[in-house]
Amino acid sequence: MANKTPQSAQQTHLAVLIDADNAPAAIVEGLFEEIAKYGIASVKRIYGDWTLPNLGSWKKVLLDHSIQPIQQFAYTKGKNATDSSLIIDAMDLLYTRRFDGFCLVSSDSDFTRLAARLREEGLTVYGFGEEKTPSPFVSACDKFIYTEILRADAKEHDKQTPDSADDAHPEPAKQPSQRKNQKAPVEFIGKVIDDIDDEDGWVQLGALGSNITKLRPAFDARLYGFKKLSDLIRANPQRFELQTKAVSSTGGEALYVRNRKAAR
């Protein structure tokens, strides 16, 4: 199944599965705002050992967001039973054939094979994890969103809940003011344009975004200090040209982009 666009989000049903041991509660506001761009969170489950104190920050927000906690005892020290429980539930949900995609919220590479298996069934997989997430898990998803971005988008929420950081993560999460925007990969974007442009060098912006995500699931304009891909393009007028053009198939208009060199 192809990636869903925001226009088709109302018909897209998603299963949201959260690994509480590897996701801080401070992302919850930004997480579900982000998921709403891609579809309806029909199922929202979170996995962990709720008898332990380190998940206290999650307990405070479960009811507000209608997230179902799934209890999983740690039967053996050093073995992560939570991962197994989440994977088993994911497969059970897969075979109901009621979902168009899955949102896997974790920075744990153990879910790499799960993401790949769900995609083999034609479902879209959205991954959510910290920037330290191993690249195999990132690449196994159709799209991967770093949770540091979500924390930045939910800055006001973080201020209101200063104790919301998950005690299971001794490493302090980067605060919005501390994050440094990465350098935008303009050369990579230019190469993608060259690969898919028409005879005049133009590419519809939506098609460009889809192809970039296929090649780099973790690509996100917000990583480079821009709200949208179009803003990133506009910020590099010496490299790209942006123009609104008519779409013959729909009769409407859309943004098109081409490399500046193609305009010569």
Side-chain angles (χ1 to χ4, degrees), residues 1 10 37 41 77 86 96 125 134 141 173 177 201 203 252:
M1 181 175 294
Q10 290 184 348
K37 298 177 183 179
K77 187 175 182 180
L86 189 155
T96 66
V125 178
C141 300
S177 60
V203 176

Side-chain angles (χ1 to χ4, degrees), residues 49-254:
D49 188 347
W50 302 99
T51 64
L52 301 178
N54 63 321
L55 300 184
S57 54
W58 272 112
K59 293 178 184 178
K60 298 175 183 178
V61 299
L62 296 183
L63 288 178
D64 292 339
H65 296 275
S66 299
I67 308 172
Q68 180 184 4
I70 305 298
Q71 170 62 30
Q72 182 58 58
F73 291 103
Y75 298 115
T76 304
K77 187 175 182 180
K79 300 293 184 180
N80 197 338
T82 298
D83 291 2
S84 299
S85 180
L86 189 155
I87 292 170
I88 291 171
D89 273 12
M91 298 308 294
D92 286 344
L93 292 170
L94 166 66
Y95 290 122
T96 66
R97 306 298 179 188
R98 295 188 292 113
F99 300 94
D100 302 293
F102 280 74
C103 298
L104 305 179
V105 186
S106 179
S107 302
D108 193 339
S109 62
D110 288 348
F111 297 112
T112 300
R113 181 61 187 129
L114 172 62
R117 181 67 182 87
L118 295 172
R119 292 181 67 186
E120 287 172 2
E121 290 293 323
L123 301 186
T124 303
V125 178
Y126 301 98
F128 297 82
E130 296 176 348
E131 291 182 10
K132 66 181 182 181
T133 303
S135 58
F137 182 31
V138 173
S139 300
C141 300
D142 290 284
K143 183 171 181 60
F144 197 91
I145 298 93
Y146 290 123
T147 53
E148 285 85 353
I149 295 174
L150 306 183
R151 291 188 64 126
D153 289 346
K155 183 176 180 180
E156 291 303 318
H157 174 73
D158 288 345
K159 288 181 178 179
Q160 294 170 8
T161 57
D163 61 340
S164 61
D166 193 337
D167 295 336
H169 294 75
E171 294 182 7
K174 296 179 182 178
Q175 296 302 313
S177 60
Q178 297 174 322
R179 294 194 73 251
K180 292 183 179 180
N181 295 323
Q182 302 174 28
K183 183 179 179 181
V186 292
E187 293 301 322
F188 167 70
I189 295 172
K191 184 179 184 305
V192 176
I193 292 174
D194 284 338
D195 290 342
I196 63 173
D197 60 2
D198 61 19
E199 59 184 13
D200 295 319
W202 291 104
V203 176
Q204 190 170 341
L205 190 66
L208 173 62
S210 296
N211 277 271
I212 289 174
T213 301
K214 289 176 183 177
L215 295 170
R216 294 188 182 180
F219 176 87
D220 195 309
R222 291 171 293 183
L223 289 171
Y224 314 106
F226 302 98
K227 186 177 180 181
K228 298 179 293 184
L229 176 59
S230 58
D231 296 332
L232 189 160
I233 296 295
R234 288 191 180 96
N236 291 275
Q238 75 287 354
R239 187 66 171 82
F240 305 114
E241 182 179 0
L242 194 65
Q243 188 177 111
T244 300
K245 301 175 66 176
V247 181
S248 57
S249 59
T250 63
E253 293 184 331

